[in-house]
Every structure is written in C-alpha cells, then in structure tokens.
C-alpha cells in the first residue's frame, strides 16, 4: 500500500503543478542547451504536438509514475516479485531529473537549484579550500549575486539574504569536500547534488537494514517519499544529516554505542534541523526506561562514552572552521537562523507553512523583515518535549526515539520564524520509519499528520488559492463585510500575494502537529477520530465554503476539475481555472458550456455549484466510516479524505469525494442485501465518472443479482437522462494530457485517436474482472486493493483524465489499510 500511494502522490504533483517546468522550458528555448544534448539522447527528446500546451517532461514522468504504481499493485495482487520496481521508480523520478538539472547547469555555466544548497555551497567550498571562512562573506559579486538580481522571485521578496550569510555548518563542508576535490581534479564544475544523491541512496539502504521485515516499504519511504523527491531533485541538502542520523541508529541497534555517538555528533555538525532529535536519541543510547532514570548514575555511566564520542566529533568538525572567524560563524549559523541578524529571511518563509503565516494573516508584522514573539510558543513546546521523553522511555527502542524526536522537531519547526517545505525532510523520512521499527501506536498517528503536512506544503508552495484570493480582494472590498472582515479578513494582504492560502496551509500544518503529538502521547481512538473530523472540517470543508462564497460574491467561480467547471458553466456561472496548468504560462482558461459533459449538466442544473454536493459527501464519508469501519481503524480510514489529492480536489470542484461516498454507501447497501440500492449507488458513481464502474463492481461484487444490475442501470440513467433530455450530447473524447498511456504516446508525437475505444474496452473489461475476481478474494483488504488497481487501470487507459482523479485509487488504498466490514465485504 505504501509504494503505490507514494508513486501516485508524486505523479499527481508532477501533472498538476509541474515543478520541473524550467528544465523543459530551457531545453526548448536555449539553443546553447539544445546543442549540448549528446546525439545518443536525441531519440529520447519530446515530440509533443504543438496543440498540447503542457510540459512534456512532467507528462512523461507523471505517466511513468502512474504506470509503475499500477505495475506494483498488479504484482502485489498476483503475489509476484515487485521489490525491483522501487529502485527503478527512483531512477526514473529522482535520478534522471536530478542528472538533467546538473547537466543543464553545466551546459549553461549557471547552476539550477536551491540558492544555498546548489549555488552557494561550491562558492563556500572555494573559500574553505583557500583557508578562508565561508561565514560573513559577501557573495553578491558571484554567480549567486547575478542569479539573485535576475530572479523574479526575489524581486517580490526583496534582496536574497544568503548573499551575505552562509547557513551551513562545517559538517556539510566536510561531507561535500571529497566530491568537490574530485570535481576540481577532473576540471569540472562541482554540483552538490552528486553528494546528496549518494546520501539519499545511503539513507534508503540503511532504512532497509533497520526494518528488514519491511525493507521495500522502508526504502520506498526514502526514495519515493512525496515530501522528499522534489527537494532532492532541486538540490536541498537535508538528506545529508538524515543519512548520518539513520546510520547512528543502525550502529546503536547493532550494539555499537560509541560509533552511534560519533555518528550522532557528525549529524549535529552537518545541519541545525536535526538538533531536536539529539535529546531523544541520547536518552535512547543511555537505555533509560523511565524518566526518573535520567537522574540515575547508572544511566549517565552508560551514556558517558557515546556522549563523549558525539561531543568529540562535533568539536573536531566544527571548531577549526568556526575559529577562523568566530563572530561571523555565530552570526550566520546561529543568529541568522534564529532571525537575530539585521537582514532577516522573509518572515514566514518563501513561503512557509508555520505559525508565522497566522501572524502574517492577522497583521502581526508590518514588514517581512520584522520579527514577532513566536518564542512564546515554547511555553507549550517545552512541556510537550518532557511528555514525549516520558513516553519514549516507557515505550523504549529506536522507533520511539525517532517518533518522539519527530514530534518535537515538527512542533519547534511550526513555531519558528520560517518553515520552508524542505525543512520537513527529516520528519518525512524518520517518522514513518519509526513506525516500521515497531512503535506501539496505530498507523493513523503517522499517516494522518504526514498527509496533512503534504497538503499544507502543496497549498503554500503552489498557491492554488492565490487567484481566488486576489479576485476576492480586488472586487469584494472589505467595507462590504464590515465587522466580519475585521474578525476574519487578512489584515496585511499587501505583504503576500496569497494570504488565504498561507492561512490554509498553516491550519493544515498545525492540525498535523497536534494530531501527531496527541497520538504519540496516547490519545484514545475517539479523540483521534474527532481530531480527524476536525481536520476535515477545518482543512477541507471550510476552504470549500470559502471558494464557493468567493465565486458567488465576485461573479467568477474558480474550479480546476472539468467536471466541476463544466457544471458551473452549464448553470450560467462564469467559471475559470483556479490556477493555470499551461506550459506557456497562459492565463487560467475559462470553462465553456459547449463542452459540458452530460453528468455535469445534470449536476449544474440541479444544484449549481457542485461543491455543495462535495460538502454533503464529506459528511456522508464521515458517517459511513463511523458505521462501516471497525472502531480501531476509523481514524486511519478518514486519512482517505486527508490526502492532498482529496483536499485540493474537493475545494476546486473534483467529484472524487462524492465518488468515495457513493462507493461506501453502495458497499453498505450490498452488505445489507439491498441489491437494487447498491446497484443504483454504483450506477450513480459510474455516471459521475466512468472509471468508477470497476471499483464499484469490486466493492459490491457479492451483491450481484438481477436487482443489482437493474439498480446499476437505474442509477446511471438517473444521472444522464436529464442532461440528454436537455439537449446535451456526449461528444467523442479527444486525446489530451492525462495520467497514463495517452501521455506516453503524446510524448513521442503519436496522438492516439483510437485511445477512447481502448479506454472503453479497458473500463468494461475492468468491471467484468472485478465482478469475476472480487467474490473469490479472501478478505476485504485485498478486495479493496483490487478495486484500487482496476480504478487505476481505467484511468491509465483513459483519453484525458484529470490528475485529480488519482484521489480515488489513493482513497481506496487508504481504506484497504482500514477496510470497511459490512457483511458483503466480510470473508
């Protein structure tokens, strides 16, 4: 379940938000770069038709990720070998684009990546190799300064402060130096990604060794983690300390505490973000089994040698470089990170996901260079850390240390002045690995916070709410709301182009931290279920209401899924995309009534804005999960709605929440022996989106009868007949960008006009396969995995499905981990 979910989340981000855009854009518009492509790579270059306004590399990688997820699910259901698919996916999705960015930088003599991790580090290593300090130096006359002056990004945020500050600790220079010297020996430019790729691979290997019974999942959580992959490609260095920290844990598990202490000291000398893990790992190395043992001499005697090793390595690595200019070192490595320098990083990040966003929204600062008393949050964080230490000592083991450290790390990060998405890399890797190591907590305590954090990063980094908020602030002036605006409106919108999105991301991230802390400290199942419901209400329902009201108030509704946009257009509402997916950066397109689907026309005529159905479906999913899923697994089942695929899709008009509610209701009806009702609900799901027919058949397979078939026909007809009678005619679907086979064929310049025929055949074949196979499967979890695989197969073969549609197989994977248990699904 882990590997396909990671692959689908990566595919969806690539297809919806195109983080790789600069790579394909430069290749298409820079003659010097095109000339540098070796002849043997020429056959692999895209031949996308000019009519398809999408990034060819994003289409290719997204389709390959979907294909690999489908292959993995098929192999899992067959009981075949599938471990080799994980490194294959890592090579395709991480190594290949990383190598392309490195090659592009070498060909253009201009590195492309993080300003600090890719551009500044080689300049700092030049100074270290010359015996000079990299701290307190002026980098404004280097390539870093030239890039900062040309950057559209920094023109809106002000001058890039890393031109005068260097944040990296000496351990980073130590680990980078061999690669740097090797590049100099060969006369080539040094790109730090050559080292971070090695650390990434090492972390995966160590993770697999730490959890041998779940080695494939452990490796995938490093190699294919959706919170890691893009930062790894773009040159973040956060995997360096994570790899060393994991090596320290492995040494401790193998009974080598001194080596573990030395590696812990090395990790602390590499980057500041892993410091919150140190107290918990030291307590683990000391073997304390109760908080009172921390005052016991025996504990300190056990800890003395690993602690001395850690301190010695930390001192040996840091001191020589720090003493070259101690004041500059302290100002850059400590003062600047804490926001205590004269020129600070923009308040909240660029953008971030933390508490600073709330302060920014409420007008707590007048400028992005101001500071705010966020340190008061430590009045809560410090007692929380004490409680986590108490739990860790009682639970014991490396898993508890990593889980408690992750909770403390995320709490401290949330209250910091800036929270960049790449800062989450340690928790994204170490928290799920802690659960694979045997933490005695339910899986939802790990899964729900990570999904909420992923949704928060998506909202902050890609700004799906930006156009809606700009439109509202421009046309719906504050005086029209009076006191309501004073209470709820942004008080400093001029400081950010996306105040509503930053608030949304901060709420999602805050819910994630609260859920993790409460879960680790022993919150009961009902409390966690209530917190999951609150997360759905605050993180999904509230933004959905906001976007719906904003559309009504301004006269222009924002949607991103064609189903919702076409329903709005048929109702006579002006509907535009919430953000542009155009490779050429064309403005968001307008949905037209001429291309309205039959089912969308019915929904538009019935309710107007389909998000009203989404709100009802959210309530329905919560009630159905509470009714169908065994109590211990209910919080995990609600993670199906906390996935970023469902969160963003629900807010911007995707029908997947409604599909999920219909499928759960169909399973409930089938379990109660109501074949007609089960068929009608399954038929309605198939009427909304054709690819839902296969999972609907798999979920209701044991209720198949004449009544079921009659209900299936009735449900489909009820959704299509009103649109057909109103004169809407289904057109022959053209081949556009999708999520699978169509993307691969478009990439090689072969628009397959026959794909709609194949798609219809595959969808019907998947439904027949679900009918024949599902009733023979031994348990509900496997049946739901079959439903996810067949749903994904139908999407893979469809002419132009939206990436939002991947939310349905993702939701089915989550339910397979916490399967519903009505009689029809019971073995």
């Amino acid at each position: 379940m882990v590997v396909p979910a990671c692959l689908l989340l990566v595919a969806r981000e690539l297809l919806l938000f195109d983080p790789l855009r600069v790579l394909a854009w430069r290749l298409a518009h820079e003659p010097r770069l095109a000339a540098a492509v070796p002849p043997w790579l020429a056959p692999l270059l895209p031949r996308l038709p000019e009519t398809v306004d999408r990034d060819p590399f994003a289409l290719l990688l997204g389709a390959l990720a979907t294909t690999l997820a489908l292959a993995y699910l098929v192999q899992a259901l067959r009981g075949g070998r599938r471990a080799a698919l994980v490194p294959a996916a890592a090579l395709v999705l991480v190594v290949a684009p990383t190598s392309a960015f490195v090659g592009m930088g070498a060909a253009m003599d201009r590195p492309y990546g993080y300003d600090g991790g890719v551009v500044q580090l080689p300049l700092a290593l030049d100074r270290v190799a010359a015996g000079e300090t990299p701290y307190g130096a002026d980098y404004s006359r280097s390539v870093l300064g030239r890039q900062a002056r040309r950057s559209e990004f920094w023109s809106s945020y002000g001058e890039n402060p890393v031109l005068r500050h260097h944040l990296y600790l000496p351990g980073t220079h130590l680990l980078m130096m061999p690669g740097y010297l090797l590049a100099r020996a060969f006369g080539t430019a040094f790109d730090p990604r050559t080292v971070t790729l090695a650390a990434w691979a090492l972390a995966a290997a160590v993770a697999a060794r730490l959890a041998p019974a779940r080695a494939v999942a452990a490796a995938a959580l490093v190699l294919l983690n959706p919170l890691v992959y893009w930062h790894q490609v773009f040159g973040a260095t956060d995997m360096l300390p994570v790899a060393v920290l994991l090596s320290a844990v492995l040494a401790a598990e193998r009974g080598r505490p001194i080596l573990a202490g030395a590696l812990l000291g090395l990790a602390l000398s590499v980057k500041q973000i892993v410091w919150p893990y140190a107290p918990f790992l030291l307590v683990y190395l000391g073997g304390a089994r109760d908080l009172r043992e921390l005052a016991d001499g025996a504990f300190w005697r056990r800890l003395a040698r690993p602690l001395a090793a850690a301190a010695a390595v930390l001192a040996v690595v840091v001191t020589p470089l720090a003493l070259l200019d101690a004041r500059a070192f302290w100002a850059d490595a400590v003062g600047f990170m804490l926001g205590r320098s004269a020129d600070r990083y923009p308040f909240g990040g660029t953008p971030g996901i933390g508490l600073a966003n709330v302060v920014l929204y409420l007008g707590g600062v007048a400028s992005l260079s101001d500071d705010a008393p966020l340190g008061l949050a430590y009045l809560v964080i410090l007692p929380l850390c004490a409680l986590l230490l108490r739990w860790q000592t009682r639970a014991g083991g490396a898993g508890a240390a990593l889980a408690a450290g992750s909770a403390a790390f995320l709490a401290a990060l949330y209250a910091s002045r800036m929270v960049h998405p790449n800062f989450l890399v340690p928790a994204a890797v170490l928290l799920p690995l802690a659960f694979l190591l045997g933490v005695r907590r339910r899986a939802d305590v790990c899964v729900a916070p990570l999904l909420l954090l992923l949704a928060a990063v998506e909202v902050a980094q890609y700004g799906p709410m930006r156009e809606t908020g700009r439109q509202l602030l421009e046309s719906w002036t504050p005086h029209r709301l009076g006191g309501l605006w004073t209470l709820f409106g942004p008080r400093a919108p001029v400081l950010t182009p996306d105040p509503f999105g930053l608030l949304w991301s901060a709420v999602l991230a805050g819910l994630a931290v609260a859920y993790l802390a409460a879960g680790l400290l022993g919150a009961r199942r009902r409390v966690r279920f209530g917190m999951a419901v609150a997360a759905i209400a605050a993180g999904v329902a509230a933004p959905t209401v906001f976007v719906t009201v904003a559309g009504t108030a301004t006269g222009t509704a924002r949607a991103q899924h064609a189903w919702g946009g076409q329903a709005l257009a048929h109702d006579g509402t002006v509907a535009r995309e919430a953000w542009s997916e155009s490779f050429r950066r064309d403005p968001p397109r307008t949905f037209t009534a001429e291309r309205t689907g039959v089912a969308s026309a019915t929904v538009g005529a019935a309710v107007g804005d389909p998000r009203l159905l989404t709100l009802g479906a959210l309530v329905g999913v919560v009630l159905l999960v509470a009714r169908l899923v065994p109590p211990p697994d209910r919080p995990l089942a609600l993670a199906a709605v906390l996935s970023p695929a469902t969160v963003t899709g629900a807010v911007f008009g995707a029908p997947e929440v409604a599909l999920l509610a219909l499928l759960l209701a169909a399973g409930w009806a089938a379990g109660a022996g109501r074949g007609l009702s089960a068929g009608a609900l399954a038929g309605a799901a198939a009427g909304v989106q054709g690819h839902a027919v296969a999972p609907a058949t798999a979920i209701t397979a044991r209720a198949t009868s004449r009544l079921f078939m009659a209900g299936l026909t009735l449900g489909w007809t009820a959704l299509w007949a009103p649109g057909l009678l109103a004169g809407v005619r289904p057109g022959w679907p053209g081949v556009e960008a999708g999520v699978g086979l169509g993307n691969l064929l478009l990439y090689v310049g072969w628009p397959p006009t026959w794909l709609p025929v194949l798609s219809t055949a595959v969808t019907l074949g998947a439904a027949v396969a679900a009918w024949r196979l599902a009733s023979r499967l031994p348990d509900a979890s496997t049946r739901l995995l079959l439903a996810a695989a067949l749903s994904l197969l139908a999407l893979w073969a469809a002419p132009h499905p939206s990436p939002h549609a991947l939310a349905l197989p993702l939701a089915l994977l989550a339910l397979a981990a916490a399967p519903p248990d009505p009689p029809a699904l019971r073995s």
Side-chain angles (χ1 to χ4, degrees), residues 223-297:
L223 298 176
L224 304 175
N225 195 309
L227 277 166
V228 173
Y229 90 96
W230 170 242
H231 305 297
Q232 185 66 34
V233 170
F234 206 55
T237 58
D238 304 273
M239 195 54 73
L240 285 174
V242 171
V244 179
L245 210 59
L246 282 174
S247 301
V249 174
L250 181 62
E253 289 287 279
R254 299 293 171 86
R256 304 179 69 179
I258 297 177
L259 176 60
L263 289 170
L264 176 60
L266 178 59
L268 296 178
S269 74
V270 173
K271 207 163 185 182
Q272 299 91 328
I273 60 172
V274 296
W275 289 357
Y277 285 91
F280 301 93
L281 289 172
L282 288 172
V283 168
Y284 158 65
L285 288 175
R289 301 294 298 175
D290 189 271
L291 203 58
R292 288 171 292 187
E293 287 189 26
L294 299 185
D296 190 356

Side-chain angles (χ1 to χ4, degrees), residues 475-503:
S475 60
W476 206 25
T477 51
H479 73 269
R480 295 180 59 183
L481 282 175
L484 287 175
W485 186 267
T486 303
L487 288 174
F488 301 111
R491 300 182 188 178
V494 296
L495 296 181
T496 171
D498 189 21
F500 300 106
L502 293 187
L503 178 64

Side-chain angles (χ1 to χ4, degrees), residues 115-135:
D115 48 15
V118 172
V119 187
Q120 190 188 52
L121 260 178
L123 303 174
L125 290 171
D126 286 340
R127 297 182 65 86
V128 174
E132 301 175 3
T133 178
Y135 303 102

Side-chain angles (χ1 to χ4, degrees), residues 732-827:
W732 188 254
V735 178
E736 301 175 14
V739 300
L741 178 60
N743 287 11
L744 300 177
L745 296 173
L746 286 171
Y747 184 86
V748 298
W750 185 19
T753 55
W754 43 264
L755 192 57
V757 178
L758 175 65
S759 173
T760 303
V762 168
T763 300
L764 294 177
V768 173
W771 187 14
R772 293 179 63 86
L773 295 176
S775 59
R776 304 176 188 175
L777 295 176
D779 56 71
S781 181
T782 308
R783 212 166 293 124
L784 285 163
L785 280 179
L786 174 65
L790 293 176
S791 171
L792 188 56
L793 175 61
L795 288 171
W796 182 82
H800 51 83
S802 167
H804 288 293
L806 295 175
L808 184 59
L810 280 166
L812 293 171
L813 286 172
L815 289 172
D821 194 30
L825 298 181
R826 191 179 300 138
S827 173

Side-chain angles (χ1 to χ4, degrees), residues 99-115:
S99 302
F101 271 104
V102 172
M104 182 170 70
M108 298 293 295
D109 196 25
R110 172 192 172 188
Y112 286 85
Y114 281 111
D115 48 15

Side-chain angles (χ1 to χ4, degrees), residues 173-586:
H173 307 115
L174 176 67
L175 296 180
M176 289 285 178
M177 190 57 74
Y180 169 82
L181 294 176
L182 193 63
R184 285 184 59 175
F186 282 96
T188 60
F190 171 66
D191 193 304
R193 280 172 286 207
T194 56
V195 178
T196 57
L197 270 179
W200 168 77
L202 173 64
V206 174
R209 297 285 295 275
L210 279 171
R214 299 178 176 88
V216 176
L221 287 168
V222 177
L223 298 176
L224 304 175
N225 195 309
L227 277 166
V228 173
Y229 90 96
W230 170 242
H231 305 297
Q232 185 66 34
V233 170
F234 206 55
T237 58
D238 304 273
M239 195 54 73
L240 285 174
V242 171
V244 179
L245 210 59
L246 282 174
S247 301
V249 174
L250 181 62
E253 289 287 279
R254 299 293 171 86
R256 304 179 69 179
I258 297 177
L259 176 60
L263 289 170
L264 176 60
L266 178 59
L268 296 178
S269 74
V270 173
K271 207 163 185 182
Q272 299 91 328
I273 60 172
V274 296
W275 289 357
Y277 285 91
F280 301 93
L281 289 172
L282 288 172
V283 168
Y284 158 65
L285 288 175
R289 301 294 298 175
D290 189 271
L291 203 58
R292 288 171 292 187
E293 287 189 26
L294 299 185
D296 190 356
F299 165 78
W300 289 102
R301 284 191 294 273
R302 291 193 299 270
L303 185 60
R305 296 173 72 184
L307 182 60
V313 170
L314 182 63
V316 167
V317 173
V318 172
T319 303
L321 200 57
L323 290 181
L324 291 177
D325 190 336
R327 180 175 298 179
F329 169 76
W330 182 263
D332 282 4
V334 180
F336 182 74
M337 288 293 294
L338 295 176
R340 295 293 177 262
S341 61
D343 50 344
R344 303 182 176 99
Y345 221 80
F347 185 79
T350 53
I353 60 169
L355 183 62
N357 285 5
V358 180
V359 176
L360 194 62
Y361 185 88
L362 296 177
V365 293
S367 167
L368 293 178
S369 62
D370 287 353
D371 205 358
L374 297 177
L376 294 175
Y378 278 84
L379 296 176
V380 176
I381 293 173
L382 291 177
L384 171 64
C385 290
L387 292 173
L388 289 169
L389 271 175
R390 186 181 69 170
W391 169 75
Q392 177 203 332
T393 55
R394 294 178 177 179
L402 292 176
S406 295
F409 164 73
L410 289 173
L413 195 63
Y414 187 73
S416 66
R417 190 178 188 277
M418 57 178 183
V419 191
H420 294 166
N422 63 288
F423 291 177
L424 296 175
V425 167
V429 172
L430 299 176
L431 178 59
L433 287 178
F435 277 74
L436 292 185
L437 290 175
V439 172
R440 295 180 182 177
R441 289 290 182 259
R442 304 292 297 188
D444 65 277
V445 177
C446 170
V447 173
L450 288 177
L451 288 176
L452 286 167
L453 287 172
L454 187 56
V457 167
E458 179 174 291
V459 171
Q461 187 163 304
Y462 298 115
M465 190 70 80
R466 185 174 302 165
E467 288 298 314
T468 303
R470 180 193 57 76
Q471 177 180 299
L472 183 64
L473 291 172
E474 287 178 357
S475 60
W476 206 25
T477 51
H479 73 269
R480 295 180 59 183
L481 282 175
L484 287 175
W485 186 267
T486 303
L487 288 174
F488 301 111
R491 300 182 188 178
V494 296
L495 296 181
T496 171
D498 189 21
F500 300 106
L502 293 187
L503 178 64
W504 185 14
S505 67
V507 169
L508 289 167
L511 290 166
V513 175
Y515 196 110
L516 176 61
L520 290 180
L521 294 177
R524 295 183 180 273
R525 183 260 308 167
R526 290 184 178 180
V527 174
R528 301 198 317 276
F529 184 81
M531 294 183 73
V533 173
I536 292 172
V540 188
T544 303
V545 171
F546 172 80
V547 173
T548 303
V549 171
T552 302
T554 60
T556 301
R558 294 283 175 175
Q560 199 63 25
H561 196 289
W563 186 80
Q566 291 170 0
L568 288 161
H570 182 81
D571 186 49
T573 304
V574 177
R576 291 195 178 96
E577 287 181 325
W579 66 91
S580 175
E581 297 177 22
S582 166
F583 183 48
R584 294 189 290 262
R585 293 284 173 90
D586 291 340

